[in-house]
Amino acid sequence: MKKYNLLARSVKFALCATAVSVGSYANAAEEGAEKVERIEVTGSRISKPKLSQPAPIVTISAADIAKSGTPDLGSILAELPAIGATDTLIGNNDSNEDAGVSSADLRRLGASRTLVLVNGKRHVAGAPGSSQVDLSTIPAALIERVEVITGGASAIYGSDAVSGVVNVILKDDFEGLQLNASMGNSTEGVGSKSTSISILAGTEIANGKGNMTFFVGKDRISEVMANDIRQTDNWSTVDNPLSEGEEDGIPDRLTKPKGYSERISENGVLNPFGAAGSIITFSDNGTPEVMPDREFSNSFAFGNFPDGCQYCFKGQDYENVLPELEKTTVASTFNYNLTDNHTFYSDFKFVRSEIKQQFQPSFRFGDVSINVEDNPYLDETLRQSYLDDGVTTIGMSKFFGELGNRSADNKRELFRFVGGVEGLFTLSETDFAYDVYYVYGQTDNRRKTLNDLIPDNLVAALDAVVDPSTGEIACRSQVPSLQGEGYVDPASVNGSECTPYNAFGFNQASEAAKDWVSADVTRTDKITQELIGGNVTFDTAEFFELQGGPVGFAAGFEYREETSETVTDEFTKAGFLTNAATPDSYGEFDVTEGFVEVSLPLLAGLSFAKELTLDAAYRSADYSHAGTADAWKVGLLYRPFDDIRLRGTYGQAVRAPNITEAFDPQSPGFGRVSDPCDADNINDNPNRVANCAALGIPAGFEANDNVSIDTISGGNPDLKSETSTSLTTGIVWTPSFIENFSMTIDYYDIEIEDAISFIATQSIADNCVDAAGGPDNSFCSQIDRDPNSFDIDLVRSGYLNAAATTTRGIEADFDYAMNLSNYDLTGDLNLNLFVNHLLELEDFEFQNRPDKVNVENGEVGDPEWQARFSATYAINDLVVSWSTRYTDRSARIDLSPEGDIPEDLDPAFVGSIVTHDLSASYQLLDNARVDLGIRNLTDKLPPAYISASGADEAIYDVIGRRFFANVSINF
């Protein structure tokens, strides 16, 4: 079978769509019925204005996007108080799999619980095994507006809309030629440059019956490393030697700069587990150096070096803040009026993204050794010193930075085609609006992790000797006379080609040796989504009306198939590398869904009820892998008099298990565990002392838990859909005595039950020894400990319908559009204030243990208060905007009942942050517009110990002041 790449297939789809539509329908007869324009707002299939919806909706306009100074839509949306930054480009900066992916995380319930639509239709995922849409594949230049509805919307749009829906509405029916160019960069030398250039062309066809557009764009975001951030200095937490125990009024841990490790280095460290003064490193050329003593300790492996440490390991040397992202987009739309009331439409896009993101280089931490007697690379004076002490072999640790970082070198290609027919038809005297459509999407990823180690080859290469027959340095495996009885070549790959490796110093090994001990990891993903669906809306005006008017109905169906496949290279699958030996994975499911929605205008025009409307919706879905799942909602809008609307929605939403959760094979990986039996942790729970002793762990045990441990985990085919109930209730005030003013205040409450969660390795370790009455064997049996050191070696884990999450909060939106001529001034002034008060965000890893709650609200990433204020002044061709964002003080400590107290860490809180943005837009000529702006005008930065190292810290702006400029020219 002939194969086509995605770009060729994209062009083929577009040409076929155009040819079929024009060729089949160019001579279609025009109908005399008048075309009806619908007011469409996300949140209902029944068209109605925004403020007449029973659920709150937030809208981001194209003008708002232009003022953001970035081409990444995910980062733009994350500035809304309702959306977390967890899965943006910065939020994913510690993940290879998600490197370059930018997604929306509504209510901080997870990107997997946020449904993203484009023009009301689903979009193929960007991350394998998930439904998570990569918003960076939606060009900002094509966006008309983005509508965000928070709260359960599964009854309207289906699975994944647990926390809400992000609907991206694209521009259509464009005519002419438009050139857009933009550029932004730090004004403080950080190097956060971003550029975008695009061309949008559109034209009418067939005497105005149709329209075609074509778009091509190129975006680039420069890489920013942690060391590029001005305020960072390898900050870490350390033990406070002055602390005398819990609640003594003295901080237990301090936050200090220059947190390094003297026990591992790019230059190599001998005796890494030895006492201070006996840990030896090397200068770049291999000369031995004694590692300096630390001042304070973070753990066994890390400490604080206020006077610096030339050869210590410094984590920030390898940490990304922003990846390097280069993206090319080709897109086209086509629509054609078959008649006045029936339109064929189609669009396609192809997006190619190339991402480079840095991670720590491969390392060995004490699990390789040096033969002191035979190794010819070892300094002679140091060799003799060891031999004099009777040491013939010695442990070694090393970060192999000389091989290069374990960089993510990823290429993603996304193709999406949409085709359908929408319009209006009449039966008897009833008008029916309909939409029937087909969508196909495919994402192909090639994910490479560069410069991984082949550990067995390294062992062989480090065992260097002088071949007595040649006088040359060689691997012992290649010199039979020096192998001794029972010798076994440790190499696992091409052992006969072993090349000796000089690990003393930096970059002292030959290129041949470096090549022989390293290899790249390659994984390829193929994600597909195919769906066919349709919906129809009408009302009962022909047959009957309630007192408030005719009843509105909407009904529809959708059939969807999704697949996800990941193939790993043979080296990795064979377990030759330090990277997890993951097997290939494949999963697929299909779902058939049907929904009905009704809007009942119970009362209207009465003295006590200007409007009383009841909305309801129900959806049933049959999943091939998770069975039947039902979602429903009921909404009420009551306007007792003209100025006030009371609104509320209550419903049940569902999320079916995604492909990763249901189908991933059991595979190895790596994780981190803070050993609950360590002396620093053992008193955190009253049952730990006895249970750790019952496991044979000695008193005063100090775990080596600053290194990764092995894990085995996988999917669970027995998962069922998780369910949530959500309530939103609020008030809309549009006072008649203040023209163009509106105020909305809404309360939201979402509870998720049977939530699908990955049981963390830390939770398994903790639950093993936190149980009353002895160790809990259901968890302890999932843990392997070293019989000699007692350190945790392996933890087994997976997915369960075991968790629960609750969140509550209040949002307020104030909007005022002022015509200043009413005050004898010129121009127009628009003011907007959006405030979110997070009352509760709590996770229960095990819903049957409500006493074990993880409180998130008030912690970093989930501030209790967030606000955004903007003021826009327009006069003639000039528009000037000022906006400010507020992030409340947030805790660095665990605020859970069994968590921390402020004494546990100093400082325990990150203070409140206020940033300001200033921009101006000017219509330079009739066909040209220029936007200029400064983001973070006052260069307000978070504390230096906030490095935006992914996830929760991504909420903060660590780049600081930066400028942007946009130019748009129409021809």
Side-chain angles (χ1 to χ4, degrees), residues 96-97 357 359-360 362 405-410 446-453 519-523 569 572 577-579:
N96 187 344
E97 181 173 319
Q357 184 159 295
F359 304 96
Q360 291 178 354
S362 296
N405 285 2
R406 278 184 292 186
S407 309
D409 179 11
N410 295 350
R446 186 223 61 201
R447 296 182 282 127
K448 297 187 74 172
T449 303
L450 307 181
N451 309 314
D452 200 14
L453 268 179
D520 298 337
V521 177
T522 302
R523 294 184 174 91
D569 68 83
T572 304
L577 306 175
T578 63
N579 214 288

Side-chain angles (χ1 to χ4, degrees), residues 417-433:
F417 171 80
V418 179
V421 178
E422 65 179 1
L424 184 73
F425 63 89
T426 303
L427 294 179
S428 184
E429 296 180 4
T430 300
D431 293 331
F432 293 81

Side-chain angles (χ1 to χ4, degrees), residues 789-812:
S789 69
F790 302 104
D791 285 324
I792 294 175
D793 288 336
L794 173 70
V795 177
R796 303 168 189 83
S797 188
Y799 294 93
L800 292 173
N801 284 107
T805 299
T806 64
T807 185
R808 297 184 299 113
I810 298 173
E811 285 182 339

Side-chain angles (χ1 to χ4, degrees), residues 58 60 64-70 72-86 88 90 102-105 135 148 811 832 834-836 863 866-870 883-887 915-917 934-936 954-957 960 962 964:
V58 178
I60 303 296
D64 294 326
I65 293 172
K67 293 183 291 187
S68 64
T70 176
D72 176 44
L73 179 60
S75 299
I76 296 169
L77 293 179
E79 294 186 0
L80 291 174
I83 298 180
T86 328
T88 59
I90 291 180
S102 188
S103 303
D105 181 3
L135 290 170
V148 181
E811 285 182 339
N832 178 263
F834 189 91
V835 180
N836 177 269
Q866 290 187 82
R868 187 186 66 165
F869 174 78
S870 64
S883 64
T884 184
R885 298 186 307 279
Y886 170 79
T887 303
T915 61
H916 304 274
D917 306 325
I934 298 288
R935 302 297 310 275
N936 199 343
I955 193 173
Y956 296 109
D957 175 11
R962 54 202 183 275
F964 69 88

Side-chain angles (χ1 to χ4, degrees), residues 711-888:
T711 63
I712 295 177
S713 59
N716 180 356
D718 296 324
L719 291 173
K720 60 182 179 179
S721 296
E722 63 184 29
T723 60
S724 74
T725 56
S726 64
L727 168 69
T728 61
T729 180
I731 183 172
V732 179
W733 183 40
T734 53
S736 56
F737 55 88
I738 307 178
E739 187 178 1
N740 296 323
F741 175 85
S742 66
M743 180 191 74
T744 65
I745 299 177
D746 293 279
Y747 167 82
Y748 62 88
D749 186 334
I750 303 174
E751 298 182 8
I752 305 174
E753 297 178 346
D754 297 325
I756 301 167
S757 65
F758 182 84
I759 307 303
T761 53
Q762 185 67 58
S763 297
I764 291 174
D766 290 347
N767 279 279
C768 166
V769 294
D770 286 354
D776 187 333
N777 191 57
S778 63
F779 290 100
C780 294
S781 62
Q782 304 303 304
I783 300 171
D784 292 349
R785 287 182 178 269
D786 186 286
N788 298 314
S789 69
F790 302 104
D791 285 324
I792 294 175
D793 288 336
L794 173 70
V795 177
R796 303 168 189 83
S797 188
Y799 294 93
L800 292 173
N801 284 107
T805 299
T806 64
T807 185
R808 297 184 299 113
I810 298 173
E811 285 182 339
D813 191 359
F814 306 85
D815 200 56
Y816 188 21
M818 303 170 63
N819 186 337
L820 296 182
S821 63
N822 296 331
Y823 305 93
D824 296 326
L825 300 171
T826 57
D828 297 295
L829 179 64
N830 291 333
L831 304 175
N832 178 263
L833 173 64
F834 189 91
V835 180
N836 177 269
H837 180 31
L838 182 61
L839 298 172
E840 178 183 294
L841 179 58
E842 297 181 348
D843 291 326
F844 301 85
E845 189 166 20
F846 301 98
Q847 60 187 356
N848 59 354
R849 292 287 306 276
D851 56 314
K852 293 287 187 179
V853 57
N854 180 21
V855 174
E856 299 283 354
N857 52 292
E859 297 180 3
V860 169
D862 301 294
E864 291 187 348
W865 289 93
Q866 290 187 82
R868 187 186 66 165
F869 174 78
S870 64
T872 301
Y873 174 69
I875 178 171
N876 299 326
D877 294 329
L878 177 66
V879 179
V880 179
S881 298
W882 167 62
S883 64
T884 184
R885 298 186 307 279
Y886 170 79
T887 303
D888 196 15

Side-chain angles (χ1 to χ4, degrees), residues 515-664:
D515 288 343
W516 192 71
V517 302
S518 64
D520 298 337
V521 177
T522 302
R523 294 184 174 91
T524 58
D525 309 313
K526 181 179 180 180
I527 309 162
T528 68
Q529 180 188 75
E530 189 169 17
L531 62 93
I532 183 171
N535 57 74
V536 62
T537 61
F538 62 95
D539 64 40
T540 63
E542 179 183 353
F543 307 104
F544 68 91
E545 294 186 13
L546 301 178
Q547 191 281 330
V551 177
F553 282 96
F557 75 95
E558 189 170 277
Y559 174 77
R560 175 166 47 101
E561 295 179 352
E562 304 219 7
T563 72
S564 181
E565 177 183 35
T566 297
V567 177
T568 303
D569 68 83
E570 296 302 323
F571 255 45
T572 304
K573 282 190 289 190
F576 292 149
L577 306 175
T578 63
N579 214 288
T582 51
D584 296 342
S585 63
Y586 178 81
E588 64 177 19
F589 69 85
D590 61 74
V591 55
T592 304
E593 302 180 80
F595 79 90
V596 61
E597 183 182 2
V598 60
S599 181
L600 303 168
L602 302 176
L603 299 172
L606 302 177
S607 59
F608 61 91
K610 299 297 182 180
E611 180 183 0
L612 179 62
T613 301
L614 178 69
D615 291 346
Y618 173 78
R619 175 181 288 260
S620 182
D622 185 11
Y623 289 89
S624 60
H625 69 309
T628 301
D630 298 329
W632 56 267
K633 77 157 191 174
V634 177
L636 185 69
L637 183 72
Y638 174 46
R639 184 154 57 108
F641 41 89
D642 288 337
D643 294 357
I644 294 290
R645 292 180 177 90
L646 304 176
R647 62 186 183 185
T649 300
Y650 184 75
Q652 176 177 289
V654 296
R655 185 180 77 87
N658 62 34
I659 290 175
T660 290
E661 294 163 343
F663 299 111
D664 250 19

